[in-house]
Structures are given as structure tokens and as C-alpha cells.
Amino acid sequence: MVTVVDEYRFGALFILGFYLFETKQASPLVPFSMFDDKNIRWMNIHGFFGWAAFFGTASLIPLFLQKMAHLSILMSGVALIGSAVGWMSAAVPAGKWILKYGYRPLFIVGSLSLTVSGVLLVLLRADNGFWYAFFVMVIQGFAFGLLSTTGVIGAQQLV
């Protein structure tokens, strides 16, 4: 029987094998030297935590609203639409904001928005209900819109 620990070992071995294979290639798929650039390293750190929050929240909110707030499957899934609303409200104008303000302020605002949504999620209770979760997802979606768009455009420009 495969345990979770065995799956992590397999994943770690795969990553190690990938790293060793890539370092021996004349033209690697992922040139690890690009991570020497502090801006790319900073974008990857923000991206990692942002996407971890995104996938964790997208898994948690519907389950929480179904089991704890006793909402229907449909309504607990609809709460995630708030993320899409917030995402589009930030991702669409983010290109112009990059030209006006630069990358760093947008990463800071995105990270602060993600932190605020995380604090609000800590305060989530069963009696808060649908609209509270929807509002938090709008804030979190705004953060994802800023972080993802700024990260993708920034990484493409730097590489």
C-alpha cells in the first residue's frame, strides 16, 4: 500500500532526477541560472505562495460552506465566482498599471490583498454565510489577478 510519505519520496526523487538531467544538458528546458536573478526569484516566491493559497482556498471554501454553513452544492460553488470577479477586475487593467506604477508596487498590493483575504478567512464562521465568503473571494481574486498577471509579464520581460 502506498502511503503519503512514499508519494513525497517519489516526488522528491523525480525533482532531483529532473535537476540532475537538466544540469547536464547543453540547452536545458529550465536553465537554473535564471534563478540567480533576484527579481525572478522574488516573483517565484510570490507566485508559489499565491498559487498555494488559490488552490487551498478553492478546495476549502465549497467544502466549508456545504458542511459547516449547510449551503447547497450549487451555492457553495457559486461563492467561488467572487474569485473570478476580483481576478478580472485586477488582471485586465494590470498591464496598464505595470506601465504606470511598475512591478514592485503591484506585487506588494497583491501580497497585501492576499494577506487581508487570509486574515478574513481565519475569521470565517459557519454563521457568516455565503456573502462573507463571496466578499473574501473577491479580495482574494483581486490579489491573484495582480500577482499572476504581474508575475507572468515580469517573468517574460526578464527572461
Side-chain angles (χ1 to χ4, degrees):
M1 186 164 135
V2 177
T3 64
V4 172
V5 174
D6 291 334
E7 291 176 8
Y8 282 123
R9 286 184 194 151
F10 175 72
L13 285 174
F14 178 76
I15 291 171
L16 179 64
F18 178 76
Y19 174 77
L20 293 173
F21 179 80
E22 286 289 298
T23 55
K24 292 180 176 31
Q25 301 304 310
S27 179
L29 180 66
V30 178
F32 291 107
S33 62
M34 74 177 176
F35 296 111
D36 294 339
D37 185 331
K38 70 175 184 160
N39 292 320
I40 292 177
R41 190 171 44 246
W42 195 59
M43 284 184 210
N44 281 320
I45 290 169
H46 280 273
F48 175 79
F49 286 111
W51 286 106
F54 173 73
F55 288 116
T57 305
S59 301
L60 169 82
I61 291 296
L63 184 62
F64 179 85
L65 291 175
Q66 286 175 45
K67 299 297 180 184
M68 301 303 291
H70 306 292
L71 293 177
S72 69
I73 294 172
L74 175 67
M75 288 307 293
S76 48
V78 168
L80 294 179
I81 291 175
S83 179
V85 169
W87 195 312
M88 289 300 109
S89 68
V92 172
K96 289 183 181 180
W97 292 344
I98 289 170
L99 296 174
K100 186 172 183 179
Y101 303 111
Y103 294 101
R104 187 173 302 270
L106 296 180
F107 270 118
I108 291 169
V109 170
S111 296
L112 288 175
S113 299
L114 190 60
T115 303
V116 166
S117 70
V119 169
L120 291 173
L121 282 174
V122 168
L123 301 174
L124 179 64
R125 297 186 327 261
D127 59 340
N128 289 44
F130 172 82
W131 288 109
Y132 183 86
F134 186 86
F135 174 72
V136 172
M137 294 309 296
V138 169
I139 294 171
Q140 197 172 69
F142 181 83
F144 296 144
L146 276 181
L147 291 174
S148 64
T149 303
T150 308
V152 168
I153 293 172
Q156 289 174 346
Q157 183 182 9
L158 290 171
V159 174

